[in-house]
Amino acid sequence: MIEYVYFSNELEFPLPESITFTNNSSEKAIISNSKQIEAEIYAPEIDFYIKNSEDETLKKIENIEKLYQIRGIKFDSAKYNEYEKEIGNKVLVIGNKEQAEKLSLDDFEVYYALPEWIKNITGTIGALEFTIDKNGETIKLSVDQAIWFNAPDAAYKQRGIVDPEDIGIEKSTEILKKRAGIYGYRNYITYDINICQYNGRVLKETCGNCADVCPTNAILKIDEEKKLLFSHIDCDGCGGCVSVCPSGALDFSAVPRDTFEEISKFYKNTIPLILPEDLIDSLNIKLKPNVLPLAIEGAKFLDETHFLTLVQESSSQIVFYTDRLSKGEKEAIDLINAVYEKIYNKKAVLLAQNEEELKSVLNKAELSPEFSYTINPQSAKKREKFAMRLSAVVDKDYGIIDLNGNSYIHYGKIEIDADKCTLCMGCVSVCNAGALTAHPEDNSLKFDAGVCTDCGYCEIACPEKCIDVIYDRLELNPEYFGQKTMAVDEPFYCIMCGKPFATKKSIAKIASMLLPVFTDEIKKKSIYCCQDCKAKLVFSDYLERKLNEK
């Protein structure tokens, strides 16, 4: 199989040796510019760029190779798992008689229902369960798929329902036939349970953004157990959940964050034009010199770290064209633009949601060498990457970004009353973002606002009630980023063995609580002993009492 294939009957200029030119439609390839070639990846942005770009020929040749390489990296780095499910031939048609008669479903076992009969839907493709109220009679009907004319939004909570009014009769029947038999699907997201801001949060619910924005039933919150339940077969791959995940626990399988970082470097000194790949074929617009498309699968997954990465690696304003802006993307764009307007007096991300807007912003977009910054953040999480990149351009105090109006993207910090803090490190144990850390080398508690998700869980968990969370303000000053010492104490040494085992404040706190309670002198002494010596002390006392009894 050929890696890169360019299929065409003619081309006005030569291609690099890494790309095989062919007019033979029987060729097979990993990546192709044409649907006429059997390829693992169809890359519509290649022909889109060749057709519309005003770059000089040599630049075009160079950029075409880049577009193949970008696709190659995404293909190699995607974190998909492939799944299969057997789908039967039972179909429910929901609509009136005239609508149903337009369909040709000879290969299926077909049932019919009027829209007003449908009372409830559960299940998913291959096992859809409809509750039907037909003239007062309640019927439970199990089918594999459904066609629903003018389907309500609720219909799309389940995978396996198509609307001919939305995509046409021909396309609807084509989808049904394609899905029948062995239905293949994949996971569009990956999940890191260790940094999830919902999982295990029993004291206070601090997140759940992903389930809130999921348009289907692909992500459900199990509140009793504080766990997320994923159904990959119900996921439509939009990526909206990724854009609102505060910690980066969710990542987009097609373009993981590390991969996005890598491909962003291909856009150095060009103006990136981000395009959902399913919109490209229908788009007809001229690209001024130095504009290079970046096709994305799943138009809703971009967050503030993605945008900041591409802006800095390209050294340019970026153009984002989409007809389905997610809530997370909107807040991310607003955040990045607010930052760049404070620092550089111009926007970093130019948004267009129709062709007229796209023409306008493409004309305005410009290279911005002052944006240039690059890093190599191996294995860094979403928040760490964002903090590393943002802190590099905040060289003085630029004020505060107020995020109070945000629903999903939050940045803030905490304040700690150091006099009350006993350094019990309870806050550290519940901070899975890594913002709060214990430092035994100097008996200190440190905090990094740059990676804090502003969840407030430390405030709830603090036994001394000495933590205050400052919500929804991103401070653009150098002091905001990096670890700060919030509280520090001297070690307390075991009165028996001399080993340090706690801080002076924590022992003083325990003593103030237990000394008035304890009447036994051994128990009072044990307060000041390490665990090993405490056991020895109690056991020795026990033996002595036994001997005295004899």
Side-chain angles (χ1 to χ4, degrees), residues 270-341:
T270 66
I271 300 171
L273 167 57
I274 305 174
L275 298 162
E277 60 184 30
D278 60 342
L279 297 181
I280 296 175
D281 282 336
S282 61
L283 190 60
N284 183 23
I285 191 165
K286 287 297 175 189
L287 305 179
K288 69 181 182 182
N290 256 339
V291 174
L292 188 62
L294 170 54
I296 56 170
E297 182 184 12
K300 297 182 177 179
F301 74 92
L302 298 169
D303 60 34
E304 66 272 26
T305 303
H306 292 113
F307 286 122
L308 183 58
T309 298
L310 190 55
V311 166
Q312 293 188 333
E313 293 293 345
S314 66
S315 315
S316 172
Q317 292 180 303
I318 63 178
V319 176
F320 181 28
Y321 174 61
T322 182
D323 62 351
R324 67 205 75 163
L325 187 68
S326 73
K327 296 169 183 174
E329 286 172 335
K330 182 181 183 309
E331 291 186 3
I333 291 171
D334 290 343
L335 170 59
I336 297 298
N337 282 341
V339 169
Y340 272 63
E341 282 174 332

Side-chain angles (χ1 to χ4, degrees), residues 154-265:
Y156 297 104
K157 291 287 184 181
Q158 276 71 31
R159 199 80 163 158
I161 299 175
V162 295
D163 183 354
E165 299 293 345
D166 193 25
I167 59 175
I169 296 283
E170 186 178 345
K171 184 69 174 176
S172 297
T173 52
E174 180 186 327
I175 290 174
L176 256 64
K177 289 176 182 176
K178 187 177 179 180
R179 289 174 171 175
I182 301 300
Y183 175 65
Y185 62 100
R186 56 180 49 168
N187 63 309
Y188 285 101
I189 58 170
T190 57
Y191 177 50
D192 184 349
I193 195 172
N194 296 312
I195 57 173
C196 175
Q197 300 297 292
Y198 176 79
N199 183 69
R201 297 292 192 174
V202 295
L203 299 178
K204 171 190 175 187
E205 185 167 320
T206 61
C207 194
N209 291 350
C210 54
D212 293 343
V213 302
C214 180
T216 66
N217 285 328
I219 305 177
L220 297 176
K221 294 188 296 183
I222 310 301
D223 287 333
E224 296 78 13
E225 302 175 36
K226 292 297 179 188
K227 291 182 178 178
L228 295 175
L229 182 65
F230 296 91
S231 173
H232 296 305
I233 197 170
D234 288 311
C235 177
D236 66 2
C238 74
C241 56
V242 177
S243 71
V244 297
C245 179
S247 63
L250 295 181
D251 202 358
F252 197 56
S253 302
V255 194
R257 284 192 177 80
D258 288 346
T259 304
F260 192 87
E261 190 98 27
E262 188 176 355
I263 64 177
S264 292
K265 298 181 188 300

Side-chain angles (χ1 to χ4, degrees), residues 4-57:
Y4 301 157
V5 159
Y6 184 81
F7 176 83
S8 177
N9 289 320
E10 59 179 12
L11 188 62
E12 296 175 351
F13 48 81
L15 292 173
E17 290 183 357
S18 61
I19 304 168
T20 300
F21 177 85
T22 184
N23 56 10
N24 180 1
S25 61
S26 64
E27 296 281 12
K28 294 182 179 179
I30 302 293
I31 298 164
S32 169
N33 66 307
S34 171
K35 286 182 177 178
Q36 294 189 54
I37 292 288
E38 185 180 337
E40 296 285 343
I41 302 293
Y42 165 53
E45 69 274 19
I46 296 170
D47 278 350
F48 170 75
Y49 171 73
I50 293 173
K51 176 184 175 185
N52 297 295
S53 176
E54 294 176 344
D55 278 332
E56 294 178 354
T57 301

Side-chain angles (χ1 to χ4, degrees), residues 515-548:
L515 284 178
V517 180
F518 290 166
T519 55
D520 188 309
E521 292 302 317
I522 294 298
K523 286 187 176 180
K524 291 181 179 178
K525 184 178 179 181
S526 71
I527 295 171
Y528 305 100
C529 298
C530 69
Q531 287 301 313
D532 291 341
C533 292
K534 190 191 302 282
K536 291 177 185 174
L537 181 67
V538 173
F539 188 65
S540 297
D541 179 60
Y542 170 78
L543 289 177
E544 188 175 339
R545 288 174 190 269
K546 285 294 182 183
L547 289 172
N548 290 336

